[in-house]
Amino acid sequence: MEEARKKKKMSNRKFVAIWSVVLALVLVLAVAVNILTNVFRGYVDLYLGGGDIIITPTEGSEDWESEYYPLDYEDTVAVQDAANALVEEIEGEGIVLLKNNGALPLSAPAKVTLLGRGSADPVYGGSGSGSVDLSTVTDLRTGLERAGYEINPTVYDILSGFAAYTESATALGTERVYTNPRGTITMDTGTSTFQIGEMPVENYTAEAVASFSGYADAAIVTISRVGGEGGDLTRDMEGYDDNYTPGQHMLELNQDERDAIALAKEHFDTVIVLINASTTMELGELEDDADVDAILWVGSPGQTGFYAVGDVLCGNINPSGRTADLWAADFTKDPTFVNFGDYQYSNLSSSNAAGDGYFVQYEEGIYIGYRYYETAAVEGFIDYDEAVVYPFGYGLSYTTFDWTIAGQELGGVDGAITVDVTVTNTGSVAGKDVVELYYSAPYTPGGIEKASVVLGAFAKTDLLQPGESQTLTLTLTVEDMASYDYKTERAYVLDEGEYIITLQTDSHTVKEGCDPITYTVGSKQVYGGDDH
């Protein structure tokens, strides 16, 4: 019985057969690897350091440029340094001075108090590709300190504490999980949240209020909004704001923000507001408030943009950005407002679509943004001054400029219109100016739909010292003034008549001293088929 329990030994023949199979597989694998290694030997040597890559030009191609992608930087550190410098430059060129009663520039060194959650917890970017590395990002305090400002530490610590967070790992890295949440925009899904997240004014302790007097050169209040592609902001804040009032939407100031600004006005002679948002907002109440001295739109400054914010505040950079959209007084009266909602495709397939398929029903045609407001005002449908806070293309400067038309050339309907404009800095500090060229096409009621005014070209000067001039050439292709006729021609049409060319500081304001230019089209031109 004991003998039966013993395992039988494997026969030599079976052992040899198994190992023969194993050795055969190893041999086949070795041969395959050897063949692939030889086929891709150049790559193996290049990436594993086994040799040099040698390029032998074919006959006749010896002088061809073979380095398609030359390296501009020697390593990743140099690349990152260049990227950070570029972000700072873009921010410095794009910041828009919306309001200034003389408070800016605020000379440094100065001792200032930052108010508002966004001062300690700004919005740096958006959803999708608008991300930053939060572990190395330049915050507002760092940007202001480099410019020479001393920041009230007592208040800053309170704001930082209110914006405390833990980090949570995600598929794309880490995200912040806040003790006091603010809105998050997720791309192409229905999971966005819309809290403003502003710190209630009662959180500014008696000690904090007492500290104002030691940092009283200015109060800088930051108003922030999240935003990003694939995630529209809410038209109704119900459920997202403790002080919600019926009809309140996300792009107006909420009560906590109004309270923070009131606190600043009560204790400081100089109040500066930073709009840290990629969107326009309803700012009429701040524009009309004489106790709010200056407003800067700084957008989402990205990795290092807050350095430029500090430089603009102190005057190292003279702001020369212009609004890229019109800032309305009341969004609920905008024709686009009713077209935002909870719209979602019902026939999505995960095999050919990403996200949850939310969309907006666009119904405005050409009458969107400044083209709506400018046209509606001309038609008498709205009072422009009541409906608009800041026009499209608007922006102030720390200096002044005069323009003179130095020359013009009016080409044929298959050519272009060029206008030379000499810009002179007539102020006391260096700065850049933006010249905007608009056109107004002839309109017949019932004919092709046209906006009353359309941006045709624009250009920015170099940095001009006081008294210095520069001549800019703005070019508008005549065909670009054509309008689409969807009813009859189903093509772009340049109607017969007079086209008025104007040089403007924004979509609503013609520059003083620059007379309009009339361009006449003798007969209707249809740009279709080969004629375009």
Side-chain angles (χ1 to χ4, degrees):
M1 187 61 123
E2 191 67 29
E3 204 57 39
R5 290 197 180 103
K6 292 182 179 179
K7 294 182 179 179
K8 292 183 178 180
K9 290 184 178 181
M10 183 183 295
S11 67
N12 289 338
R13 180 178 298 176
K14 188 173 183 181
F15 179 81
V16 170
I18 291 174
W19 273 104
S20 295
V21 172
V22 172
L23 290 174
L25 291 173
V26 171
L27 180 61
V28 169
L29 182 61
V31 171
V33 170
N34 186 56
I35 293 172
L36 291 172
T37 300
N38 279 281
V39 170
F40 298 102
R41 181 175 179 177
Y43 296 99
V44 174
D45 288 343
L46 179 63
Y47 292 107
L48 298 183
D52 298 324
I53 185 168
I54 299 174
I55 300 175
T56 304
T58 59
E59 185 177 352
S61 67
E62 293 85 358
D63 297 330
W64 291 7
E65 176 58 61
S66 60
E67 189 177 10
Y68 295 134
Y69 302 107
L71 297 178
D72 294 324
Y73 306 99
E74 60 182 9
D75 54 33
T76 55
V77 174
V79 171
Q80 189 61 60
D81 289 344
N84 288 342
L86 179 59
V87 169
E88 187 177 341
E89 178 185 357
I90 292 171
E91 178 71 11
E93 293 283 351
I95 290 173
V96 182
L97 180 60
L98 296 173
K99 178 182 180 179
N100 188 23
N101 67 3
L104 294 179
L106 178 66
S107 298
K111 302 179 76 172
V112 301
T113 297
L114 303 182
L115 299 175
R117 175 187 181 147
S119 292
D121 182 33
V123 174
Y124 297 100
S127 61
S129 55
S131 60
V132 298
D133 181 356
L134 291 172
S135 66
T136 60
V137 72
T138 301
D139 59 22
L140 176 61
R141 180 177 188 172
T142 303
L144 298 190
E145 287 177 338
R146 193 190 75 168
Y149 297 111
E150 188 176 343
I151 308 302
N152 185 332
T154 302
V155 176
Y156 192 86
D157 288 346
I158 291 174
L159 293 172
S160 297
F162 183 81
Y165 60 87
T166 58
E167 291 190 343
S168 174
T170 70
L172 299 177
T174 59
E175 67 176 2
R176 292 179 175 181
V177 180
Y178 288 99
T179 303
N180 296 296
R182 72 175 180 194
T184 57
I185 303 302
T186 55
M187 186 171 63
D188 298 330
T189 70
T191 59
S192 296
T193 59
F194 305 108
Q195 297 94 337
I196 302 301
E198 183 54 75
M199 188 177 81
V201 73
E202 55 265 24
N203 286 42
Y204 292 98
T205 62
E207 180 188 8
V209 173
S211 73
F212 291 170
S213 60
Y215 295 84
D217 288 328
I220 300 176
V221 185
T222 303
I223 303 297
S224 298
R225 287 295 182 276
V226 294
E229 61 180 304
D232 296 315
L233 304 186
T234 183
R235 294 183 306 164
D236 194 326
M237 290 294 292
E238 185 173 10
Y240 292 107
D241 195 313
D242 291 340
N243 299 310
Y244 170 78
T245 57
Q248 177 187 343
H249 60 77
M250 197 173 181
L251 292 178
E252 61 182 307
L253 299 180
N254 77 346
Q255 188 58 52
D256 290 324
E257 291 170 326
R258 291 187 176 97
D259 291 343
I261 292 170
L263 182 69
K265 294 192 300 180
E266 179 183 355
H267 293 277
F268 295 86
D269 292 332
T270 300
V271 176
I272 300 164
V273 176
L274 303 183
I275 305 300
N276 167 218
S278 295
T279 61
T280 64
M281 293 183 63
E282 292 182 1
L283 297 185
E285 59 190 282
L286 299 185
E287 173 63 23
D288 295 337
D289 190 337
D291 293 327
V292 173
D293 300 286
I295 305 174
L296 275 179
W297 178 81
V298 303
S300 298
Q303 199 71 29
T304 54
F306 275 119
Y307 284 135
V309 174
D311 283 337
V312 166
L313 286 169
C314 73
N316 290 339
I317 295 176
N318 191 340
S320 59
R322 299 294 183 265
T323 54
D325 199 353
L326 179 142
W327 293 56
D330 185 350
F331 285 179
T332 65
K333 295 181 180 178
D334 191 285
T336 65
F337 192 79
V338 296
N339 293 330
F340 284 82
D342 190 16
Y343 303 122
Q344 185 179 15
Y345 289 105
S346 59
N347 59 344
L348 283 182
S349 169
S350 58
S351 63
N352 60 18
D356 295 332
Y358 287 92
F359 66 93
V360 174
Q361 188 71 30
Y362 295 107
E363 296 180 336
E364 299 78 32
I366 65 170
Y367 298 112
I368 190 168
Y370 79 94
R371 299 190 187 196
Y372 164 72
Y373 285 91
E374 301 295 341
T375 307
V378 169
E379 295 291 333
F381 187 70
I382 62 170
D383 182 319
Y384 191 90
D385 292 335
E386 291 183 0
V388 176
V389 180
Y390 304 116
F392 167 83
Y394 171 86
L396 303 176
S397 173
Y398 296 153
T399 189
T400 56
F401 299 92
D402 279 349
W403 301 354
T404 302
I405 297 178
Q408 63 186 54
E409 184 175 337
L410 308 181
V413 293
D414 58 350
I417 298 168
T418 60
V419 182
D420 297 325
V421 182
T422 299
V423 180
T424 302
N425 183 346
T426 56
S428 59
V429 297
K432 298 179 180 182
D433 199 15
V434 178
V435 177
E436 303 170 28
L437 182 150
Y438 291 80
Y439 66 87
S440 297
Y443 172 68
T444 302
I448 301 173
E449 291 294 333
K450 298 170 187 172
S452 64
V453 65
V454 178
L455 178 68
F458 64 93
K460 180 184 280 193
T461 67
D462 299 330
L463 184 67
L464 301 180
Q465 298 300 322
E468 186 178 2
S469 299
Q470 180 182 359
T471 299
L472 301 175
T473 298
L474 288 84
T475 301
L476 170 62
T477 301
V478 173
E479 183 180 341
D480 287 345
M481 295 194 296
S483 302
Y484 191 75
D485 178 7
Y486 71 92
K487 292 181 179 179
T488 307
E489 299 289 353
R490 297 190 178 182
Y492 280 90
V493 173
L494 191 71
D495 274 332
E496 176 184 350
E498 293 185 344
Y499 292 72
I500 307 302
I501 312 298
T502 51
L503 296 171
Q504 304 187 188
T505 56
D506 55 58
S507 63
H508 195 65
T509 310
V510 176
K511 179 67 172 181
E512 185 177 351
C514 293
D515 294 332
I517 298 169
T518 300
Y519 180 88
T520 302
V521 175
S523 60
K524 184 176 81 170
Q525 304 292 315
V526 178
Y527 299 100
D530 295 330
D531 182 18
H532 60 80

